[in-house]
Amino acid sequence: MQNQRRHRAALRRHPLTLALWATAFWLPASVLAAQDTATPATTPAAASSDSKQLETIVVTAQKREQQIKDVPIAISAYSGDFLKKYGLDNYQALGTLVPGLEIQMQSVANPSLSIRGITADLNDPTQEPRISVFQDGVSMSRSRGSFATPFDIQRIEILRGPQSTLFGRAAEIGALHFIENKAKPGNSSGFNIGFGNYSDEKLEGFVNTEFNDNIYGRLAVFYENRDGYVNNLSGGNLQGIDTAAVRGSLHFNIGDSNGIDLILNHERDTPPGTAFRSLIIPNRTASAQDIAAVNAWLRSSTGTGDIATFTLPNVSSGMDPYQADAERGRDLGSDRTLDSITLLGHFVINDNWSLHSTTGWRHFDSLEKFDADGSQVDLINFDEKAKGQQFSQEFRLNYDNGGNFTGFMGLDYTSETTSRDLTFQTDERSLYALLSPLAHELLTLLPVVSLLNPDGTPNVSRSKILGNIFLNPDHHETFGNDVDVTSTELFADGTWKVGDKWEFTLGLRGTHESATYGYFSAAGNFSALGRAFSGRTDPNTGAFLAACPDAGLDPNNPCNNLLFPATNGRLTATTSADSLVGRAIARYKFNDNTSAYASISRGRRPAMLRVREPDPTHSDPSDPDGDGISSIPAEIVMSYEVGLKGVTAGQRLAYDLAAYYYDYSHFQAQVLDPTVGPIAVDEDAGRAHAAGIEASLYARLSDHTTGFLNVGLSEGGFNGTDDQGRPQSLSGNTFRLFPKQKFSVGIDWTLPLSDNLEFFLRPNVTYQSKVFFEDENNPATFGHSFAGQIQQSAYSLVNLRTGMNFGSRWSLTFSIDNALNKKYLIDAGNTGLTFGIPTVIPGAPRMYGVSVSGRF
């Protein structure tokens, strides 16, 4: 299905590819000889008209234009030009720059965001986001539609801490806002074309034109295709890129002070698969000795124990993380489409009041095929079909009479529907071999079988169990969940100036929300193992529950499912709630360049329902009624923050310092719950906390040198006891994806060689300390050559950009990312962990390339 799209020749012939190339090089005859310039934004290290000072930084985080030094929030903001300069113009690279921000990209359809140690996992459509992701004022926070390739960006604003008053119900712990370049007066165009290792091809371009005095247009395009950096012995490669996107925008002036922007986005992603790599099963290059050692370990009862207590034998071959053996080969990968329409309106009512309207429609459709066991054995394969649609409308009135009070109030309505269907596929002959030690403990008549043949190929010699019950070599079953959410929100926020020094801000947002959750499990094609096993365990004894408890051992009595019993159609449950969140801030101005602030705010992640098949035995304590419906209470966070920000040294140094403390109740942790099945679920983990200090510095070090330094120091995790003093299940654990130390530093040095020629050098270094990939903080040590635990130890990445600028229009750039070729993980554990065979995903190795850009 996706193979031809990944062949280089076919890509070059693709009509959309050709159109993107043609658009980038098309320069209208009426183009002015002027560089395309953005509204004064967020470039922290760009020159102003006075080359000795930093450029003024303006943001709209508080729904009005302000210099960033005057915003009493922990906020980082960067212009598109700044991000390109340092090669930080992609989603995951942004996470290495911003203090307190982590971005993990398993695939385009499966991002995970973390701000100040609190993660917003976005792989389940029924999970409520903790972090709002906005594109031109429209939320795209939910599930598979939350990642859109950033290109032709004006600026990015990252707000840390509860921001529900400003950005809605999904901004419990922070927000990311991508503001794109809009159509504007004048004629301009530009392009960037690049090539790199792993057959990387990249193209960006834009054309902006002025049709008349009142109508402007802009077209921007993006294309990148890069082979995966993980070779797959079963065919193809993994962890690659294949993205094409286009954006069209129109601006209409209505009178002297009013305007409308219409923005249309389309993106298609068809990358190769995610590089899940088994931590236990070696690939087919392993030596016979190492294969025998792994088979012996898997046959032993040790392999069925707690992941935190077992240790593998010393396996030295077949474990290279960059050489996978995912058995579906080239068929693995994603196929995702994103479409959106945004309509922005700005209308001046009088000298004091203005009306702002934001209308958004978004749709995504995604199919991802992945090998969850990360091996050449047909054990745990999934096809995930996700889709969603969202409509939102916000009206906001802003008030500013130039006096002591400014504020806004408004109404927001959002309706969204998302669903995810998972088709599980396995060869029961191989799955039985993996589970045979457990099966033998349950019934000694069932033999223990080796998983691998001596040459590393799957052992499928066992075709039957208990005489006449045949193992299905191609078992598959489908299950899924969905949610339909509507919310109506009223909000207001105001700032009062008291004298020349003090400002006080108070904001509130009230929400009424209703949600219908759905779940289904369809009948599969036949399962022998489902007679004794399933994806679930008994919550009281830990024993496996049969998916078909009534089938018994009679081969004539059918059993269709293995993971979950089939339901009688789609099961649903509905809930509704009202909530109130807000913020209170006091700001003190020492002078025009320096201020301090203190804030307290309340964030909330809505309550959720978990729907599954009814349990007539009432054995699950999370479902005492046995109706298959269990609830997770709303998560509440109280945030306390102080900060100091300003500019000094003759406008040559900008600084932003913050310290915070979060107090959580009913923290919704994501865990692998074997009583539910082999998927991660949310549970009420009780009380939790987080605290930290952050610093951001931007400096003009000389007339030709600027630099930045970002530092984050943090501590946080699950408290020892809950509100009633009872021990908590995750007591003392650190949050997943939560480095306790993180910093990034970069320099931009230019050397003028003539009036129209300059050399530039832009190195940057990022560092982060150890992170766990699971809230359970599994520290399992594996004694083979691959990096050790379900965690990532501290590491640094060194990146470099260098090249030449030819006047203000042309530039030639040579780039290298991860220059020291550091090996690190971006994820570990994953679905395979539930089956006792955890996987890892390796991070990108050294990447290098060259690019040419021009502006006209």
Side-chain angles (χ1 to χ4, degrees), residues 104 158 411 463 479 514 530 548 570 575 694 771 795 827 835:
Q104 175 207 78
I158 303 100
L411 169 69
S463 61
F479 59 96
S514 60
C548 307
R570 176 174 173 264
T575 184
E694 297 164 344
V771 295
Y795 69 96
D827 202 3
F835 291 81

Side-chain angles (χ1 to χ4, degrees), residues 129-212:
R130 284 191 178 104
I131 300 170
S132 278
V133 182
F134 274 74
Q135 185 180 43
D136 286 325
V138 177
S139 174
M140 56 176 185
S141 308
R142 175 79 65 170
S143 189
R144 296 301 188 248
S146 61
F147 165 76
T149 299
F151 67 101
D152 196 30
I153 292 292
Q154 185 189 86
R155 69 180 183 276
I156 299 175
E157 300 177 6
I158 303 100
L159 290 77
R160 303 182 295 279
Q163 305 296 338
S164 299
T165 304
L166 300 174
F167 286 93
R169 60 196 291 273
E172 181 210 13
I173 209 60
L176 281 70
H177 193 187
F178 294 81
I179 298 103
E180 299 156 344
N181 285 313
K182 315 292 191 304
K184 59 188 178 182
N187 296 309
S188 59
S189 61
F191 73 92
N192 182 76
I193 180 172
F195 303 92
N197 60 337
Y198 296 97
S199 302
D200 188 35
E201 300 175 344
K202 186 175 182 179
L203 168 72
E204 293 184 68
F206 75 91
V207 175
N208 190 96
T209 190
E210 180 177 331
F211 296 111
N212 56 46

Side-chain angles (χ1 to χ4, degrees), residues 547-606:
C548 307
D550 299 328
L553 301 180
D554 182 359
N556 297 315
N557 197 355
C559 176
N560 293 319
N561 286 26
L562 171 58
L563 293 185
F564 304 105
T567 60
N568 184 18
R570 176 174 173 264
L571 309 177
T572 62
T574 300
T575 184
S576 63
D578 297 307
S579 64
L580 185 68
V581 296
R583 64 175 187 156
I585 305 173
R587 176 173 178 256
Y588 181 80
K589 292 179 60 177
F590 295 98
N591 51 53
D592 289 342
N593 293 323
T594 306
S595 65
Y597 69 89
S599 70
I600 179 172
S601 54
R602 182 181 191 266
R604 175 183 177 271
R605 192 187 198 192

Side-chain angles (χ1 to χ4, degrees), residues 54 69 186 293 536 780:
L54 295 172
K69 66 182 179 65
R536 302 170 304 143

Side-chain angles (χ1 to χ4, degrees), residues 606-814:
M608 289 183 281
L609 295 181
R610 183 190 301 157
V611 184
R612 52 186 168 174
E613 71 279 358
D615 175 22
T617 66
H618 300 270
S619 59
D620 187 349
S622 68
D623 179 20
D625 297 330
D627 58 3
I629 301 172
S630 55
S631 62
I632 304 170
E635 174 183 291
I636 303 297
V637 58
M638 294 301 300
S639 169
Y640 310 91
E641 182 171 309
V642 294
L644 178 70
K645 57 175 57 183
V647 293
T648 188
Q651 304 290 314
R652 296 168 66 98
L653 174 65
Y655 57 91
D656 190 338
L657 312 175
Y660 64 91
Y661 180 81
Y662 296 159
D663 185 13
Y664 283 90
S665 58
H666 301 295
F667 188 88
Q668 296 171 0
Q670 191 173 72
V671 298
L672 293 169
D673 185 350
T675 69
V676 177
I679 55 174
V681 298
D682 283 298
E683 72 169 23
D684 180 3
R687 298 194 64 87
H689 70 280
I693 300 172
E694 297 164 344
S696 296
L697 303 176
Y698 305 97
R700 176 161 292 284
L701 304 174
S702 71
D703 289 352
H704 302 292
T705 307
T706 58
F708 70 87
L709 172 65
N710 296 317
V711 178
L713 306 175
S714 54
E715 184 277 331
F718 300 94
N719 295 2
T721 58
D722 62 15
D723 290 328
Q724 284 73 46
R726 297 170 298 191
Q728 299 187 145
S729 60
L730 297 174
S731 172
N733 286 11
T734 299
F735 298 129
R736 64 185 298 263
L737 297 178
F738 185 47
K740 293 187 176 182
Q741 299 93 35
K742 182 178 179 180
F743 77 78
S744 60
V745 60
I747 295 291
D748 181 2
W749 176 63
T750 60
L751 176 64
L753 302 176
S754 70
D755 290 344
N756 293 307
L757 181 64
E758 70 176 12
F759 168 81
F760 62 84
L761 183 69
R762 298 171 186 143
N764 72 85
V765 179
T766 64
Y767 167 86
Q768 72 168 38
S769 61
K770 180 180 72 175
V771 295
F772 290 102
F773 292 110
E774 307 287 344
D775 283 330
E776 293 94 331
N777 290 183
N778 290 312
T781 300
F782 302 97
H784 49 72
S785 61
F786 189 83
Q789 302 175 321
I790 307 184
Q791 62 186 38
Q792 171 60 54
S793 59
Y795 69 96
S796 298
L797 298 178
V798 178
N799 311 301
L800 177 67
R801 297 292 184 277
T802 188
M804 305 289 289
N805 290 325
F806 303 89
S808 61
R809 294 190 182 185
W810 297 93
S811 67
L812 174 67
T813 302
F814 298 92

